[in-house]
Amino acid sequence: MRGRAVAVMLALLCGCAPAAPPAADVPSQSMIPSLNVSVEGDSVHMVLHVMSALDTPLVLDFPSSQRADFWVRDSAGETVWMWSAARSFAQVTGSETLEAGGERSYEGAWSPAAPGQYEAVARLVSTSHPVQIAVPFEVR
């Protein structure tokens, strides 16, 4: 609960409202997602990679200029960091087209405060083809 309170407080300070992370993974038959997480020194680098599983172009619709979001949960399941919490996004709709079998990548980075077991979660915020994926990792 503390992580969510921090995200809400950050949102109030910056005048923006972070998107609440969905409770469960969102299945998609049109996309193949992967999430690569690498711990390098004092930084955790996350790359959400999505690939179209269709034989035709795939249009990804977005409700704002935000395309993806990343957050980290601790071993108790509490959100300790959210990429979008301290950011503002243009409130304009947009779209990106993936050709048949096309790919796109989105990146985020987090500086952990303490060693431990964590879970990285990434979400494509597309309204037409939402995708979410989670990967456990450890900070030593």
Side-chain angles (χ1 to χ4, degrees), residues 11-32:
L12 292 173
L13 289 173
C14 76
C16 59
D25 288 351
V26 179
S28 174
Q29 296 179 4
S30 57
M31 305 272 286
I32 301 169

mmCIF file of all heavy atoms in Angstrom, residues 11-32:
data_model
loop_
_atom_site.group_PDB
_atom_site.id
_atom_site.type_symbol
_atom_site.label_atom_id
_atom_site.label_comp_id
_atom_site.label_asym_id
_atom_site.label_seq_id
_atom_site.Cartn_x
_atom_site.Cartn_y
_atom_site.Cartn_z
ATOM 1 N N ALA A 11 1.974 11.868 -8.088
ATOM 2 C CA ALA A 11 1.021 12.340 -9.093
ATOM 3 C C ALA A 11 0.436 13.683 -8.680
ATOM 4 O O ALA A 11 0.265 14.580 -9.506
ATOM 5 C CB ALA A 11 -0.095 11.316 -9.287
ATOM 6 N N LEU A 12 0.117 13.832 -7.404
ATOM 7 C CA LEU A 12 -0.444 15.092 -6.935
ATOM 8 C C LEU A 12 0.572 16.221 -7.044
ATOM 9 O O LEU A 12 0.230 17.346 -7.405
ATOM 10 C CB LEU A 12 -0.917 14.950 -5.487
ATOM 11 C CG LEU A 12 -2.123 14.028 -5.283
ATOM 12 C CD1 LEU A 12 -2.386 13.836 -3.805
ATOM 13 C CD2 LEU A 12 -3.350 14.581 -5.979
ATOM 14 N N LEU A 13 1.839 15.922 -6.751
ATOM 15 C CA LEU A 13 2.881 16.949 -6.833
ATOM 16 C C LEU A 13 3.123 17.408 -8.271
ATOM 17 O O LEU A 13 3.365 18.576 -8.523
ATOM 18 C CB LEU A 13 4.187 16.424 -6.229
ATOM 19 C CG LEU A 13 4.181 16.260 -4.713
ATOM 20 C CD1 LEU A 13 5.469 15.576 -4.260
ATOM 21 C CD2 LEU A 13 4.030 17.612 -4.036
ATOM 22 N N CYS A 14 3.081 16.460 -9.220
ATOM 23 C CA CYS A 14 3.370 16.848 -10.609
ATOM 24 C C CYS A 14 2.103 17.243 -11.360
ATOM 25 O O CYS A 14 2.181 17.668 -12.501
ATOM 26 C CB CYS A 14 4.103 15.727 -11.350
ATOM 27 S SG CYS A 14 3.053 14.350 -11.838
ATOM 28 N N GLY A 15 0.935 17.065 -10.738
ATOM 29 C CA GLY A 15 -0.316 17.450 -11.384
ATOM 30 C C GLY A 15 -0.795 16.449 -12.413
ATOM 31 O O GLY A 15 -1.607 16.761 -13.264
ATOM 32 N N CYS A 16 -0.273 15.226 -12.354
ATOM 33 C CA CYS A 16 -0.697 14.206 -13.304
ATOM 34 C C CYS A 16 -1.150 12.982 -12.533
ATOM 35 O O CYS A 16 -0.773 12.782 -11.401
ATOM 36 C CB CYS A 16 0.437 13.836 -14.258
ATOM 37 S SG CYS A 16 1.900 13.198 -13.407
ATOM 38 N N ALA A 17 -1.953 12.170 -13.145
ATOM 39 C CA ALA A 17 -2.434 10.956 -12.502
ATOM 40 C C ALA A 17 -1.806 9.751 -13.183
ATOM 41 O O ALA A 17 -1.980 9.568 -14.377
ATOM 42 C CB ALA A 17 -3.959 10.878 -12.609
ATOM 43 N N PRO A 18 -1.036 8.946 -12.434
ATOM 44 C CA PRO A 18 -0.455 7.766 -13.057
ATOM 45 C C PRO A 18 -1.528 6.738 -13.361
ATOM 46 O O PRO A 18 -2.521 6.645 -12.634
ATOM 47 C CB PRO A 18 0.509 7.241 -11.989
ATOM 48 C CG PRO A 18 -0.076 7.707 -10.700
ATOM 49 C CD PRO A 18 -0.722 9.043 -11.020
ATOM 50 N N ALA A 19 -1.316 5.992 -14.421
ATOM 51 C CA ALA A 19 -2.249 4.920 -14.744
ATOM 52 C C ALA A 19 -2.081 3.831 -13.704
ATOM 53 O O ALA A 19 -0.977 3.442 -13.373
ATOM 54 C CB ALA A 19 -1.947 4.370 -16.136
ATOM 55 N N ALA A 20 -3.172 3.356 -13.164
ATOM 56 C CA ALA A 20 -3.107 2.287 -12.171
ATOM 57 C C ALA A 20 -2.747 0.994 -12.874
ATOM 58 O O ALA A 20 -3.304 0.674 -13.920
ATOM 59 C CB ALA A 20 -4.455 2.151 -11.474
ATOM 60 N N PRO A 21 -1.795 0.247 -12.328
ATOM 61 C CA PRO A 21 -1.437 -1.005 -12.975
ATOM 62 C C PRO A 21 -2.580 -2.004 -12.898
ATOM 63 O O PRO A 21 -3.225 -2.105 -11.864
ATOM 64 C CB PRO A 21 -0.234 -1.500 -12.163
ATOM 65 C CG PRO A 21 -0.118 -0.647 -10.974
ATOM 66 C CD PRO A 21 -1.006 0.543 -11.161
ATOM 67 N N PRO A 22 -2.850 -2.726 -13.978
ATOM 68 C CA PRO A 22 -3.893 -3.740 -13.946
ATOM 69 C C PRO A 22 -3.521 -4.842 -12.957
ATOM 70 O O PRO A 22 -2.359 -5.093 -12.706
ATOM 71 C CB PRO A 22 -3.915 -4.291 -15.375
ATOM 72 C CG PRO A 22 -3.255 -3.263 -16.204
ATOM 73 C CD PRO A 22 -2.280 -2.569 -15.303
ATOM 74 N N ALA A 23 -4.515 -5.510 -12.413
ATOM 75 C CA ALA A 23 -4.279 -6.544 -11.419
ATOM 76 C C ALA A 23 -3.710 -7.813 -12.042
ATOM 77 O O ALA A 23 -2.990 -8.545 -11.406
ATOM 78 C CB ALA A 23 -5.580 -6.859 -10.697
ATOM 79 N N ALA A 24 -4.046 -8.101 -13.279
ATOM 80 C CA ALA A 24 -3.601 -9.346 -13.903
ATOM 81 C C ALA A 24 -3.079 -9.083 -15.301
ATOM 82 O O ALA A 24 -3.337 -8.048 -15.891
ATOM 83 C CB ALA A 24 -4.768 -10.331 -13.969
ATOM 84 N N ASP A 25 -2.315 -10.061 -15.808
ATOM 85 C CA ASP A 25 -1.797 -9.924 -17.163
ATOM 86 C C ASP A 25 -2.948 -9.888 -18.152
ATOM 87 O O ASP A 25 -3.963 -10.545 -17.980
ATOM 88 C CB ASP A 25 -0.883 -11.099 -17.509
ATOM 89 C CG ASP A 25 0.442 -11.015 -16.762
ATOM 90 O OD1 ASP A 25 0.698 -9.981 -16.122
ATOM 91 O OD2 ASP A 25 1.215 -11.979 -16.822
ATOM 92 N N VAL A 26 -2.783 -9.101 -19.199
ATOM 93 C CA VAL A 26 -3.808 -8.945 -20.218
ATOM 94 C C VAL A 26 -3.405 -9.791 -21.422
ATOM 95 O O VAL A 26 -2.394 -9.528 -22.046
ATOM 96 C CB VAL A 26 -3.940 -7.456 -20.633
ATOM 97 C CG1 VAL A 26 -4.981 -7.309 -21.710
ATOM 98 C CG2 VAL A 26 -4.268 -6.598 -19.433
ATOM 99 N N PRO A 27 -4.171 -10.845 -21.739
ATOM 100 C CA PRO A 27 -3.798 -11.687 -22.873
ATOM 101 C C PRO A 27 -4.067 -10.989 -24.203
ATOM 102 O O PRO A 27 -4.961 -10.169 -24.316
ATOM 103 C CB PRO A 27 -4.694 -12.918 -22.712
ATOM 104 C CG PRO A 27 -5.888 -12.425 -21.972
ATOM 105 C CD PRO A 27 -5.396 -11.305 -21.089
ATOM 106 N N SER A 28 -3.262 -11.312 -25.178
ATOM 107 C CA SER A 28 -3.457 -10.769 -26.511
ATOM 108 C C SER A 28 -3.042 -11.824 -27.524
ATOM 109 O O SER A 28 -1.934 -12.341 -27.452
ATOM 110 C CB SER A 28 -2.621 -9.503 -26.712
ATOM 111 O OG SER A 28 -2.721 -9.075 -28.041
ATOM 112 N N GLN A 29 -3.926 -12.150 -28.447
ATOM 113 C CA GLN A 29 -3.596 -13.136 -29.463
ATOM 114 C C GLN A 29 -2.942 -12.492 -30.669
ATOM 115 O O GLN A 29 -2.452 -13.183 -31.538
ATOM 116 C CB GLN A 29 -4.858 -13.874 -29.870
ATOM 117 C CG GLN A 29 -5.449 -14.673 -28.726
ATOM 118 C CD GLN A 29 -6.725 -15.374 -29.139
ATOM 119 O OE1 GLN A 29 -7.151 -15.333 -30.281
ATOM 120 N NE2 GLN A 29 -7.355 -16.026 -28.190
ATOM 121 N N SER A 30 -2.915 -11.172 -30.721
ATOM 122 C CA SER A 30 -2.351 -10.475 -31.868
ATOM 123 C C SER A 30 -0.913 -10.028 -31.636
ATOM 124 O O SER A 30 -0.248 -9.607 -32.566
ATOM 125 C CB SER A 30 -3.218 -9.266 -32.210
ATOM 126 O OG SER A 30 -3.321 -8.421 -31.082
ATOM 127 N N MET A 31 -0.434 -10.124 -30.381
ATOM 128 C CA MET A 31 0.904 -9.641 -30.042
ATOM 129 C C MET A 31 1.670 -10.710 -29.271
ATOM 130 O O MET A 31 1.086 -11.456 -28.494
ATOM 131 C CB MET A 31 0.808 -8.405 -29.159
ATOM 132 C CG MET A 31 -0.006 -7.282 -29.732
ATOM 133 S SD MET A 31 0.949 -6.201 -30.746
ATOM 134 C CE MET A 31 1.846 -5.343 -29.506
ATOM 135 N N ILE A 32 2.980 -10.732 -29.475
ATOM 136 C CA ILE A 32 3.865 -11.590 -28.696
ATOM 137 C C ILE A 32 4.776 -10.667 -27.903
ATOM 138 O O ILE A 32 5.628 -9.982 -28.483
ATOM 139 C CB ILE A 32 4.698 -12.511 -29.606
ATOM 140 C CG1 ILE A 32 3.774 -13.385 -30.457
ATOM 141 C CG2 ILE A 32 5.672 -13.341 -28.773
ATOM 142 C CD1 ILE A 32 4.476 -14.124 -31.567
#
